[in-house]
Amino acid sequence: DVGCGAGEIGARIATLAGATDRTAVDCSGPILRLAKERHADATYLRIDAARLPLRNQSYDLSLLIDVIEHQAQPEQVLRELSRVCTRLLIRTPLENCWYERLRRRHRDLFQESCGHVVYFDLASVRRMLTTNGFSICEESIRPIAWSHWKRVLTGDCPLHGKATAAARALLRLVLPLAWYRRLFVVNYNALCESTYRSQSAGPTVSGTATSSPRTASVGQLAELPVSSPATGLAPKVTHGR
């Protein structure tokens, strides 16, 4: 679980996948301590995702959930994960929409900061995956889960933020996804397979899975809060409501 944060999403996906051996990594010591308090069943490592001190193909599945858009070296992160893991489950926002262009043009008006340092559209995220060690097996494009908007509407958020959240949630109910994604951010979810081939198969490191777990589907990933077909086949695309 790369960029594990508090560990909630990684723990849920591990349960869905039937994984019994899990490693979570993050660059923040305080965040890792919080995650360990909540989910003591994982191995926690404070390391840089762009330079993983782990052996080739030593993990069955890597999670990169709402993380790659925060990375200054996203291609290097993917190359490292392709080397270390046989499969990748990734989620990242597609931000080539009217609202994001307006927000970035008028930051002083919106007073919003999400910490993203790279911005993707569908073509660029596909290209980034396939040129940095992965083939796409399955993918979907989904609106941000309702649980995210619920937290915004009920939490300590400025009035303009709550108004925007309410408008986006209501428009999601009445607009087709193809129209909605032109206006607002949607999430890209994909299950990928590493194209890396290790030259020598050595023993796995501590914290790796000893048997292949069930792989959580991109549909299950799409429903989690904001925070397989054979390699070589054309990816299956699902446009869910």
Side-chain angles (χ1 to χ4, degrees), residues 133-183:
F134 288 99
S135 62
I136 302 169
C137 299
E138 186 179 350
E139 59 184 2
S140 73
I141 299 169
R142 303 285 182 90
I144 295 172
W146 164 246
S147 58
H148 170 74
W149 304 122
K150 183 179 180 180
R151 287 199 303 274
V152 173
L153 291 170
T154 59
D156 184 18
C157 181
L159 184 59
H160 75 275
K162 292 187 177 184
T164 301
R168 292 168 72 168
L170 289 173
L171 286 172
R172 181 63 200 97
L173 296 175
V174 299
L175 291 179
L177 180 59
W179 294 6
Y180 182 87
R181 60 179 287 200
R182 294 180 183 178
L183 296 175

Side-chain angles (χ1 to χ4, degrees), residues 6-8 10-15 18-24 34-44 207:
E8 302 296 338
R12 291 178 64 178
I13 292 179
T15 299
T20 57
D21 202 351
R22 182 167 60 92
T23 300
L34 174 63
K36 191 171 184 178
E37 290 174 2
R38 295 184 176 184
H39 304 281
D41 59 326
T43 299
Y44 291 93

Side-chain angles (χ1 to χ4, degrees), residues 86-87 133-138 191-197 228-235:
T86 59
R87 287 171 292 175
F134 288 99
S135 62
I136 302 169
C137 299
E138 186 179 350
L191 172 64
C192 306
E193 185 170 329
S194 171
T195 57
Y196 179 92
R197 292 294 177 265
S228 86
T231 303
L233 296 180

